[in-house]
Amino acid sequence: AQTVTQSQPEMSVQEAETVTLSCTYDTSESDYYLFWYKQPPSRQMILVIRQEAYKQQNATENRFSVNFQKAAKSFSLKISDSQLGDAAMYFCATGGSNYKLTFGKGTLLTVNP
Amino acid sequence: EAGVVQSPRYKIIEKKQPVAFWCNPISGHNTLYWYRQNLGQGPELLIRYENEEAVDDSQLPKDRFSAERLKGVDSTLKIQPAELGDSAVYLCASKPGFSTDTQYFGPGTRLTVL
């Protein structure tokens, strides 16, 4: 079984500053993936970043990067130079050999101008 | 490349009525998912298809929910009869083949049961 915990229901950040969203997970899988998805009010889930658990190097995608601590089962998302368009719900998810995603409850990010 | 298409975007029905949602995945994606997302929660899997075969329907409430993917392309999810607790967003996602590749989501259908 897999569980994902996002301990921050809401976060806010000033435009152009940096914010970190937290995620911890638990899984019995030895080979798994971790994802951050963004869900704006339009409801469409958009992939932000993806990390293979077997890779030690943290994934980065432009202004988005992760801090993957495998032993601690932690997978935080850092957003640098925050923009107004980054405002959304952010979901952490894990996927394994059962090919389904298990999501956390989400963190609502507000970006203040 | 077109993304995952879902219709309708919104649906309001009275309880005990039937309702159906349609999904057309990204071309070439063999795997199709239906998720339900309750308010303030992350999505939860209802059913997964590999081509036309439902390979994981353990979370689907089979007394009132049914799904089909007859030709291994588009899919329909049905609820009959709907209950108040079925109000949620129903998301469809797809990915290519047997792997833990990224799932691509459609815009969802927001169902309100009155």
Side-chain angles (χ1 to χ4, degrees):
Chain A
Q2 297 164 325
T3 60
V4 176
T5 302
Q6 293 179 249
S7 59
Q8 306 153 316
E10 297 184 26
M11 291 283 285
S12 65
V13 63
Q14 291 297 125
E15 194 175 5
E17 294 190 348
T18 296
V19 64
T20 298
L21 307 184
S22 300
C23 173
T24 58
Y25 63 93
D26 195 12
T27 180
S28 56
E29 304 268 353
S30 58
D31 185 18
Y32 57 93
Y33 289 72
L34 294 160
F35 303 85
W36 278 98
Y37 279 89
K38 166 185 175 181
Q39 188 177 41
S42 66
R43 299 197 304 270
Q44 183 132 20
M45 300 283 280
I46 301 166
L47 178 70
V48 174
I49 200 165
R50 172 178 180 263
Q51 172 83 43
E52 293 94 332
Y54 65 86
K55 288 187 177 179
Q56 293 185 335
Q57 186 173 5
N58 289 324
T60 62
E61 285 289 340
N62 301 313
R63 298 183 294 107
F64 299 89
S65 61
V66 299
N67 183 5
F68 176 43
Q69 302 290 327
K70 191 172 184 177
K73 295 185 177 178
S74 171
F75 183 62
S76 61
L77 174 69
K78 185 171 81 171
I79 307 173
S80 304
D81 185 24
S82 296
Q83 300 176 359
L84 296 177
D86 295 333
M89 281 291 288
Y90 285 80
F91 290 95
C92 178
T94 181
S97 60
N98 57 6
Y99 304 121
K100 75 174 189 181
L101 293 178
T102 300
F103 288 85
K105 292 187 176 182
T107 296
L108 179 63
L109 178 65
T110 303
V111 181
N112 300 310
Chain B
E1 179 182 89
V4 177
V5 178
Q6 289 188 249
S7 67
R9 292 294 311 276
Y10 303 89
K11 190 72 176 179
I12 301 174
I13 61 172
E14 299 282 337
K15 65 180 180 181
K16 299 185 182 180
Q17 285 190 337
V19 64
F21 315 121
W22 177 79
C23 172
N24 191 33
I26 292 173
S27 179
H29 283 195
N30 299 327
T31 307
L32 183 147
Y33 301 81
W34 283 103
Y35 289 86
R36 177 168 59 187
Q37 184 177 19
N38 292 316
L39 187 64
Q41 303 290 320
E44 295 180 329
L45 180 70
L46 290 173
I47 190 167
R48 171 170 70 96
Y49 281 93
E50 295 291 345
N51 298 304
E52 66 275 8
E53 183 181 1
V55 295
D56 183 357
D57 63 356
S58 57
Q59 303 299 315
L60 190 72
K62 297 182 183 62
D63 56 338
R64 297 182 301 104
F65 286 66
S66 64
E68 61 183 16
R69 193 184 184 198
L70 294 176
K71 297 183 179 179
V73 179
D74 56 349
S75 176
T76 302
L77 177 69
K78 298 178 182 177
I79 309 175
Q80 183 172 9
E83 297 179 352
L84 295 176
D86 296 331
S87 294
V89 174
Y90 291 83
L91 294 165
C92 180
S94 70
K95 74 170 178 67
F98 287 93
S99 70
T100 322
D101 277 340
T102 301
Q103 295 181 25
Y104 296 89
F105 285 80
T109 297
R110 180 180 297 279
L111 173 67
T112 302
V113 182
L114 302 175

